[in-house]
Short mmCIF file of all heavy atoms in Angstrom, two decimals:
data_model
loop_
_atom_site.label_atom_id
_atom_site.label_comp_id
_atom_site.label_asym_id
_atom_site.label_seq_id
_atom_site.Cartn_x
_atom_site.Cartn_y
_atom_site.Cartn_z
N TYR B 392 -22.87 -5.17 5.60
CA TYR B 392 -23.94 -5.74 4.82
C TYR B 392 -25.35 -5.34 5.31
O TYR B 392 -26.26 -5.38 4.59
CB TYR B 392 -23.81 -7.25 4.80
CG TYR B 392 -22.77 -7.75 3.78
CD1 TYR B 392 -21.51 -8.11 4.20
CD2 TYR B 392 -23.06 -7.79 2.43
CE1 TYR B 392 -20.51 -8.49 3.36
CE2 TYR B 392 -22.10 -8.16 1.52
CZ TYR B 392 -20.80 -8.56 1.98
OH TYR B 392 -19.87 -8.94 1.06
N CYS B 439 -21.56 -3.03 -4.72
CA CYS B 439 -20.19 -3.34 -5.22
C CYS B 439 -20.20 -4.72 -5.91
O CYS B 439 -20.70 -5.73 -5.38
CB CYS B 439 -19.26 -3.44 -3.99
SG CYS B 439 -17.63 -3.95 -4.42
N HIS B 441 -17.90 -6.74 -6.29
CA HIS B 441 -17.07 -7.80 -5.70
C HIS B 441 -17.89 -8.80 -4.93
O HIS B 441 -18.17 -9.85 -5.42
CB HIS B 441 -15.91 -7.11 -4.83
CG HIS B 441 -15.09 -8.17 -4.14
ND1 HIS B 441 -14.82 -8.06 -2.81
CD2 HIS B 441 -14.51 -9.30 -4.60
CE1 HIS B 441 -14.07 -9.11 -2.43
NE2 HIS B 441 -13.87 -9.92 -3.53
N LEU B 442 -18.36 -8.35 -3.76
CA LEU B 442 -19.19 -9.30 -2.97
C LEU B 442 -20.43 -8.61 -2.41
O LEU B 442 -20.97 -9.02 -1.36
CB LEU B 442 -18.35 -9.93 -1.81
CG LEU B 442 -17.26 -10.86 -2.26
CD1 LEU B 442 -16.39 -11.28 -1.06
CD2 LEU B 442 -17.83 -12.13 -2.95
N GLY B 443 -20.86 -7.50 -3.08
CA GLY B 443 -22.23 -7.04 -2.81
C GLY B 443 -22.46 -6.03 -1.68
O GLY B 443 -23.55 -5.85 -1.20
N CYS B 444 -21.38 -5.41 -1.12
CA CYS B 444 -21.59 -4.38 -0.13
C CYS B 444 -22.04 -3.07 -0.79
O CYS B 444 -21.97 -2.92 -1.97
CB CYS B 444 -20.29 -4.05 0.64
SG CYS B 444 -19.89 -5.32 1.83
N CYS B 457 -15.76 1.15 -1.49
CA CYS B 457 -16.47 0.03 -0.84
C CYS B 457 -15.88 -0.21 0.59
O CYS B 457 -14.64 -0.44 0.74
CB CYS B 457 -16.37 -1.25 -1.63
SG CYS B 457 -17.27 -2.57 -0.83
N CYS B 459 -16.12 -2.65 2.48
CA CYS B 459 -15.86 -4.06 2.80
C CYS B 459 -14.45 -4.46 2.54
O CYS B 459 -13.65 -4.81 3.43
CB CYS B 459 -16.89 -4.96 2.19
SG CYS B 459 -18.46 -4.81 2.98
N HIS B 460 -14.02 -4.41 1.26
CA HIS B 460 -12.63 -4.83 0.95
C HIS B 460 -11.88 -3.88 0.12
O HIS B 460 -10.85 -4.14 -0.42
CB HIS B 460 -12.72 -6.19 0.20
CG HIS B 460 -13.66 -7.19 0.83
ND1 HIS B 460 -14.94 -7.47 0.30
CD2 HIS B 460 -13.55 -7.91 1.93
CE1 HIS B 460 -15.52 -8.31 1.07
NE2 HIS B 460 -14.73 -8.62 2.10
N GLY B 461 -12.43 -2.58 0.01
CA GLY B 461 -11.61 -1.50 -0.53
C GLY B 461 -11.71 -1.26 -2.01
O GLY B 461 -10.93 -0.52 -2.54
N SER B 462 -12.63 -1.89 -2.73
CA SER B 462 -12.79 -1.57 -4.16
C SER B 462 -13.20 -0.10 -4.29
O SER B 462 -13.91 0.42 -3.45
CB SER B 462 -13.87 -2.40 -4.84
OG SER B 462 -13.50 -3.74 -4.81
N PRO B 474 -10.61 -5.19 -5.01
CA PRO B 474 -10.74 -6.48 -5.68
C PRO B 474 -11.88 -6.63 -6.72
O PRO B 474 -11.89 -7.64 -7.44
CB PRO B 474 -10.90 -7.50 -4.58
CG PRO B 474 -11.51 -6.67 -3.43
CD PRO B 474 -10.91 -5.31 -3.57
S1 FES T 502 -14.81 -4.82 -2.20
FE1 FES T 502 -15.66 -6.59 -1.50
S2 FES T 502 -17.77 -6.18 -1.52
FE2 FES T 502 -16.84 -4.36 -2.25
#
Side-chain angles (χ1 to χ4, degrees):
Y392 280 100
C439 175
H441 175 228
L442 291 174
C444 281
C457 182
C459 286
H460 314 104
S462 294

